[in-house]
Amino acid sequence: MSTHHAPTDLPHDPVRRSLVMAAGLGAIAAVQGTAAAQGTAAARARGALGARLQGVQHFGITVQNMDRAYAFYTEVLGGTEIMRDGDFQGDVIHNTLLLNEEIDARQRGVNPVSLGVPDLRGGAQRLDVRFIQFDNVVIELLQYRDRSQPQGSGNSFAPPQAFTSPAFPKSMHVCFYVREDVDFNEFVRDLEAEAARRGMHNVKANRIVASNSEQDRRQAPLDTLTNRITSGKSDGWSLIYAKGPEGEQLEFVQVRGRAKRVFGEALKARGRA
């Protein structure tokens, strides 16, 4: 067991003596605090997986036509390009993105191309990406193309999936948050109109009433463009599903009232935890 002795060379002046001692104690506390912070950071780095995350960085959408998708997310929905890169090829990127699918193809005894695996390894196909910033999320657009195809407007390596229903397992969607002071019905109407003006006629939002034809869907009343939930924990939640220009599944929501409180309280609870 060790004991601590006061320094023998402290000034005789009581004021200076107390200042020197305080400085010494402060230095010790600083060192201890730094060590504690480092210990906390190290513990967090080794802790539960959730504690090692800092949120969702982006959602990715593989597209058939990069320029068309880019125009939709920047010019129609108003996102801002962060960066673009492309012509990715080679062994490392191929394995990084496609290794599991390639192994699956071998186990099935089929050509990897039949499972949608491009040859980035040999460079027959290339990958281009563009990142688009919205207020609270980043969207990454990806296009796989043959090396002979131009970036942006070139043909895609593979056709889009035939089935687009969001009910299929493994289906995903991107949800956009509509401001509370915006009329939701008008937003959906204007979204379809602006997309159509740009030739994106496949941008279509659902309605909350049954439609027997595309004409019925288009002619449905304005107030059928929003599903407003007014009971239960989702009270205050408004939503509609829509297809983007690449056939991707989109959702648009407003969150008010009880639903907003539920999400807000959950966020605060997670912060405290």
Side-chain angles (χ1 to χ4, degrees):
M1 180 176 179
S2 63
T3 57
H4 296 282
H5 298 281
T8 57
D9 57 348
L10 287 176
H12 294 293
D13 183 338
V15 175
R16 291 183 62 206
R17 181 187 179 93
S18 64
L19 290 173
V20 171
M21 292 186 69
L25 292 173
I28 293 171
V31 171
Q32 291 175 336
T34 300
Q38 291 173 343
T40 300
R44 186 165 55 244
R46 297 190 305 269
L49 292 176
R52 305 182 211 177
L53 299 178
Q54 57 178 358
V56 175
Q57 203 277 334
H58 71 265
F59 289 92
I61 302 172
T62 299
V63 303
Q64 188 174 21
N65 185 297
M66 177 66 85
D67 286 346
R68 178 178 61 195
Y70 175 79
F72 177 75
Y73 285 99
T74 58
E75 298 175 16
V76 177
L77 292 185
T80 304
E81 178 177 321
I82 302 171
M83 60 164 283
R84 65 176 65 184
D85 205 345
D87 219 37
F88 290 115
Q89 58 171 313
D91 194 59
V92 173
I93 190 66
H94 183 99
N95 294 332
T96 299
L97 300 175
L98 302 162
L99 182 62
N100 280 318
E101 284 72 21
E102 195 169 61
I103 291 173
D104 186 28
R106 284 202 197 95
Q107 292 175 338
R108 297 188 190 194
V110 300
N111 189 321
V113 173
S114 67
L115 299 184
V117 180
D119 181 19
L120 298 183
R121 178 181 287 114
Q125 280 81 43
R126 309 295 170 88
L127 169 64
D128 304 321
V129 299
R130 299 183 191 181
F131 289 90
I132 301 170
Q133 178 74 60
F134 291 87
D135 290 343
N136 59 349
V137 73
V138 174
I139 300 294
E140 179 190 16
L141 303 177
L142 308 93
Q143 184 182 23
Y144 294 84
R145 58 176 172 82
D146 290 343
R147 65 184 170 195
S148 61
Q149 293 293 312
Q151 291 189 7
S153 59
N155 293 333
S156 179
F157 157 74
Q161 295 187 51
F163 302 108
T164 64
S165 168
F168 278 109
K170 296 194 292 187
S171 295
M172 297 184 68
H173 67 271
V174 180
C175 181
F176 287 92
Y177 207 173
V178 179
R179 282 175 24 205
E180 290 185 46
D181 60 347
V182 168
D183 184 294
F184 199 97
N185 288 319
E186 291 182 357
F187 171 85
V188 176
R189 178 199 63 193
D190 294 345
L191 167 69
E192 289 185 334
E194 179 64 17
R197 188 180 71 81
R198 298 172 182 273
M200 304 174 188
H201 299 287
N202 49 344
V203 175
K204 301 175 183 179
N206 291 334
R207 306 294 190 256
I208 64 172
V209 294
S211 300
N212 295 321
S213 67
E214 174 59 16
Q215 183 177 3
D216 285 348
R217 186 197 66 84
R218 287 198 307 267
Q219 293 178 347
L222 183 64
D223 62 3
T224 67
L225 276 62
T226 307
N227 180 2
R228 301 188 190 279
I229 301 177
T230 58
S231 62
K233 290 185 178 180
S234 296
D235 180 18
W237 189 281
S238 297
L239 74 150
I240 203 70
Y241 266 30
K243 289 294 192 294
E246 304 301 302
E248 69 272 32
Q249 186 63 57
L250 305 178
E251 180 181 11
F252 296 91
V253 301
Q254 275 181 332
V255 187
R256 299 168 169 165
R258 183 179 181 185
K260 183 177 181 179
R261 292 193 298 273
V262 168
F263 275 81
E265 290 167 1
L267 182 59
K268 290 179 183 177
R270 178 174 173 84
R272 291 192 298 268

